[in-house]
Amino acid sequence: MPVEHPKALIMSLPPKPGIYRMLGAKGEVLYVGKARNLRKRVQSYFRASGLAARVMLLMQQAQNIEITVTHTETEALLLEYNLIKSLHPRFNILLRDDKSYPYIFISHTQEYPRIGFHRGAKREKGRYFGPYPSSYGVRETLNLVQKIFRVRPCLDSFFRNRSRPCLQYQIKRCSGPCVGLITPERYAADVQQAVMFMEGKSQSLIRDSIKQMEQASDKQDFETAALMRDRIAMLKRIQEKQYITGEGGEADAMAIAATPEAACIVVTWIRGGQNLGSKSYFPRMGAESTPWEMLDAFLSQYYLSGRTIPARIYLSEAIVDRPLLERAFTEQAGKKITLTVNPRGAPRRWLQMAQFNATDALRRHLDSKIDMQGRFEALRDALKLESMPERIECFDISHTMGEATVASCVVFDASGAVKSDYRRFNIEGIEPGDDYGAMTQALTRRYRKVKEGEGRLPDLLLLDGGKGQLSAAEGVMQELQVADVKLVAVAKGRERKPGQEQLFLSGSGRPTILPATSAGLHLIQQIRDEAHRFAIAGHRARRGKTRTTSTLERIPGIGGRRRMALLKNFGGLREVARAGVEDLARVPGISPQLAQKIYDAFHGEEQ
């Protein structure tokens, strides 16, 4: 039954700030809200008409309302946040966030500092840049820094044991400090410029690079001058792409797209004047019915969780609680925070892009028949990952008795299969049936291209196989200096039945076995099966092509025209193989001597 005697309840409430809790039949908290005036806010729920569908459902289930009076609206906001975080009321919008965010780390203690991906506790001495909205944003920035400044990414254990430059030097992503190809002073200057780049001091960096280019040119050091010229060009292209507005700017651009069934909020992060990328959130829907109400509820959960708050926050919707949130955020951050709607210039472009991404992500989310977002979250929990993987790639090998070996790579994100990023690899130069060698070759070819700037790395890499495939993958990743991708080999159980898979995780000696009902396991099975299907299709196509054309192609004197003439006259390779020497010689362009060679090739006789 709904709340009894609502008029008496309303009149008993004070016209003061505070929070209210709507309780269900068993005393469970259904909804927590804040109010500047508790009496007026609670009264609004008992209107005769005009309530949204979710609010009407809430009021049908609410049996009682409890309140807590606070001194200020800011206290009410903080109390509301803490209660939502601890109680998870079913009618509140709820932000499902990752445990931690990634950073870029530059070490301080070595003669030749390293730059790399970091997530977790900041124990090592050095500079931490971020946090970034996603691992993709970190990797994209790392790729730019390595491409422009050639700072080493390798771990110290790898660095100390080099006797020759590694792949990073060969593809011009490192200056080779491990073997003394650059002086400590020159390397330190490159590191300092990389730091300036990540601090957003691009204009100063370009001016310094121009000076260095001119000085090198005056000294006739044309190699250094060319390097500075290329560096300047890349920095200018990045500025144009990122809409950099000035040095040191920090802001978030936040846009929402919503339907009655779901909402997507996209946050674009601007740090040091640079666009670090964006992240999509699909909060659990609550009683809030309008986009501005959802955005209002999201903002407090997003920023009051201890996250760094930028000085400027640009919003796609005007919200009623803007002054309250500005005060609360300013108090928490220790600096003035402003929330702005309808900005101009570069912030407007950031907000427009965030709005486009939110609308597109919500459309794909609603079009998906399977809740991939939920499966990705279940996989994160099942494998105890620091954060939900944004991109998963899976490799499989297919062949028939070692013939026509093909490796497949399929890609999934939280919206489903990313078929435009699928790849196949025709495997050559290995012993027939050597699945480990095939896996090594495919992974090397795939991720060497990524390290060279084509494509992007996954957060989670699945391998169809067991410990051997995992070991092969670990060797490839070490050689390519890819240290921030989680590897999982998916081995079939003893009876090779679905649901009995053993998962071998990098860094863990014992297999992980998930329950057959696990949504995370279902996702792994779906991705593995798709990789298997894609590999088999590629293998069959390659095998068919090989068996159709290889015999004629191996015969000296048979080129494309003669091969097509034979196939056209006889109607196919099988009929060519059955033909006699005289029949073959009747084909235009085929001499009696060549006809004999063709016949011998199909009948296994010595030529």
Side-chain angles (χ1 to χ4, degrees):
M1 292 178 61
V3 176
E4 296 183 357
H5 310 299
K7 289 185 178 180
L9 172 65
I10 293 168
M11 293 307 299
S12 69
L13 300 179
K16 293 185 178 182
I19 61 100
Y20 55 95
R21 299 177 295 279
M22 294 193 175
L23 309 181
K26 298 180 181 179
E28 73 278 16
V29 178
L30 300 177
Y31 183 78
V32 176
K34 65 181 181 300
R36 178 184 306 147
N37 184 314
L38 283 168
R39 181 183 296 172
K40 286 185 177 180
R41 182 69 181 109
V42 173
Q43 187 177 23
S44 69
Y45 286 97
F46 294 93
R47 296 197 303 266
S49 62
L51 293 179
R54 287 181 180 274
V55 179
M56 292 177 63
L57 181 61
L58 167 63
M59 296 310 296
Q60 289 171 4
Q61 298 184 23
Q63 300 291 305
N64 195 12
I65 300 176
E66 294 180 348
I67 67 165
T68 300
V69 177
T70 59
H71 290 93
T72 64
E73 290 180 72
T74 303
E75 284 186 24
L77 176 68
L78 295 173
L79 181 56
E80 178 198 44
Y81 164 74
N82 289 327
L83 289 175
I84 293 174
K85 183 179 178 181
S86 61
L87 299 176
H88 295 175
R90 57 176 297 201
F91 282 93
N92 279 97
I93 191 169
L94 184 64
L95 169 61
R96 294 172 287 192
D97 205 359
D98 292 332
K99 299 174 185 176
S100 63
Y101 283 86
Y103 289 78
I104 288 178
F105 170 74
I106 295 184
S107 61
H108 274 175
T109 56
Q110 302 97 332
E111 184 178 31
Y112 293 103
R114 62 174 287 268
I115 186 170
F117 181 103
H118 177 84
R119 192 193 295 272
K122 302 174 184 176
R123 296 189 180 93
E124 195 172 350
K125 292 182 179 179
R127 286 285 303 274
Y128 293 86
F129 295 89
Y132 283 70
S134 66
S135 57
Y136 173 65
V138 173
R139 292 177 182 131
E140 188 175 42
T141 303
L142 281 173
N143 183 59
L144 286 173
V145 171
Q146 285 184 249
K147 187 176 181 180
I148 299 172
F149 305 103
R150 302 186 183 182
V151 179
R152 73 175 179 95
C154 56
L155 298 175
D156 292 341
S157 56
F158 186 85
F159 177 79
R160 288 192 297 266
N161 295 310
R162 297 300 299 181
S163 58
R164 58 184 177 83
C166 69
L167 173 66
Q168 298 299 308
Y169 176 79
Q170 297 171 24
I171 62 176
K172 297 183 179 180
R173 295 294 191 275
C174 179
S175 53
C178 56
V179 290
L181 297 181
I182 185 172
T183 64
E185 294 76 20
R186 175 71 177 276
Y187 186 86
D190 289 342
V191 170
Q192 181 56 39
Q193 290 202 331
V195 169
M196 291 175 64
F197 173 75
M198 287 185 291
E199 289 176 340
K201 300 177 180 178
S202 297
Q203 294 290 354
S204 299
L205 185 54
I206 291 174
R207 289 193 295 268
D208 291 348
S209 297
I210 291 174
K211 290 180 181 178
Q212 291 182 43
M213 180 181 67
E214 293 172 346
Q215 291 171 358
S217 181
D218 291 340
K219 296 177 181 177
Q220 296 188 342
D221 182 0
F222 299 117
E223 182 178 355
T224 300
L227 180 65
M228 290 298 108
R229 177 202 63 204
D230 295 340
R231 181 173 297 182
I232 293 164
M234 283 188 283
L235 288 169
K236 287 184 175 180
R237 284 199 298 270
I238 292 167
Q239 276 192 322
E240 293 170 359
K241 178 182 177 182
Q242 300 259 354
Y243 301 128
I244 294 176
T245 57
E247 299 182 0
E250 291 189 354
D252 283 349
M254 189 175 294
I256 182 172
T259 69
E261 295 80 26
C264 176
I265 297 174
V266 168
V267 184
T268 298
W269 295 18
I270 312 301
R271 298 294 184 270
Q274 299 182 50
N275 187 336
L276 300 187
S278 61
K279 187 174 180 66
S280 299
Y281 295 90
F282 296 88
R284 190 190 71 187
M285 298 293 283
E288 296 81 5
S289 58
T290 64
W292 74 260
E293 288 177 320
M294 297 178 195
L295 189 59
D296 191 312
F298 178 87
L299 278 163
S300 59
Q301 291 189 49
Y302 185 78
Y303 287 113
L304 294 177
S305 61
R307 179 182 277 105
T308 300
I309 308 176
R312 291 164 292 153
I313 302 171
Y314 300 109
L315 304 176
S316 64
E317 301 281 342
I319 59 174
V320 173
D321 288 329
R322 190 182 73 176
L324 170 62
L325 292 173
E326 286 181 336
R327 289 197 301 271
F329 296 164
T330 296
E331 184 177 323
Q332 176 161 315
K335 60 183 178 183
K336 183 174 177 56
I337 307 296
T338 59
L339 279 65
T340 305
V341 182
N342 296 324
R344 298 180 179 179
R348 177 182 290 273
R349 292 192 288 270
W350 295 329
L351 201 56
Q352 288 172 342
M353 184 55 66
Q355 186 67 67
F356 174 84
N357 289 333
T359 303
D360 183 64
L362 181 61
R363 176 189 59 79
R364 290 185 285 115
H365 179 74
L366 294 174
D367 287 345
S368 175
K369 295 181 181 179
I370 300 174
D371 184 8
M372 292 296 292
Q373 184 83 14
R375 287 191 172 190
F376 268 65
E377 291 174 352
L379 182 60
R380 172 196 62 191
D381 297 338
L383 298 184
K384 297 180 173 59
L385 304 177
E386 283 288 334
S387 63
M388 188 183 79
E390 298 175 10
R391 181 184 176 94
I392 300 176
E393 296 190 0
C394 182
F395 280 75
D396 188 26
I397 307 296
S398 181
H399 57 79
T400 301
M401 302 295 289
E403 177 191 3
T405 302
V406 170
S408 71
C409 172
V410 301
V411 182
F412 277 66
D413 63 16
S415 299
V418 186
K419 294 193 175 182
S420 60
D421 288 357
Y422 281 21
R423 294 292 183 271
R424 288 195 186 104
F425 304 90
N426 291 335
I427 304 300
E428 305 285 357
I430 64 169
E431 290 293 324
D434 181 6
D435 287 353
Y436 301 153
M439 184 67 75
T440 297
Q441 185 179 134
L443 292 171
T444 300
R445 289 166 60 183
R446 170 69 166 174
Y447 296 118
R448 177 167 182 162
K449 287 287 187 183
V450 174
K451 294 294 286 187
E452 290 173 351
E454 298 181 22
R456 55 180 288 195
L457 287 170
D459 302 294
L460 183 66
L461 174 58
L462 302 180
L463 312 159
D464 186 33
K467 292 182 179 179
Q469 281 81 359
L470 179 62
S471 178
E474 288 174 339
V476 171
M477 294 307 187
Q478 182 179 14
E479 177 62 27
L480 295 179
Q481 283 297 286
V482 177
D484 51 314
V485 176
K486 187 72 173 180
L487 308 180
V488 180
V490 185
K492 296 180 177 65
R494 292 182 179 179
E495 299 180 7
R496 304 180 69 81
K497 292 182 179 180
Q500 298 179 355
E501 287 84 354
Q502 293 182 324
L503 308 180
F504 294 92
L505 282 64
S506 54
S508 176
R510 304 181 65 180
T512 297
I513 301 176
L514 300 180
T517 58
S518 167
L521 177 61
H522 296 165
L523 176 61
I524 290 176
Q525 292 170 337
Q526 178 186 357
I527 297 174
R528 178 205 58 194
D529 293 346
E530 174 67 356
H532 190 56
R533 179 202 65 79
F534 195 56
I536 288 177
H539 162 64
R540 287 175 177 170
R542 187 185 183 196
R543 184 183 62 188
K545 181 179 179 181
T546 300
R547 292 179 177 179
T548 300
T549 62
S550 61
T551 303
L552 289 176
E553 288 177 345
R554 289 196 297 265
I555 301 173
I558 298 293
R561 289 185 179 180
R562 285 174 174 166
R563 185 168 65 249
M564 290 302 298
L566 286 164
L567 294 173
K568 184 175 181 180
N569 273 272
F570 289 100
L573 188 66
R574 181 176 297 178
E575 286 68 28
V576 173
R578 291 174 177 174
V581 175
E582 296 80 5
D583 297 325
L584 293 168
R586 293 192 187 101
V587 176
I590 304 297
S591 66
Q593 295 81 5
L594 188 54
Q596 185 65 52
K597 286 184 178 181
I598 296 171
Y599 182 87
D600 293 343
F602 281 104
H603 293 82
E605 298 183 13
E606 293 293 327
Q607 298 183 24

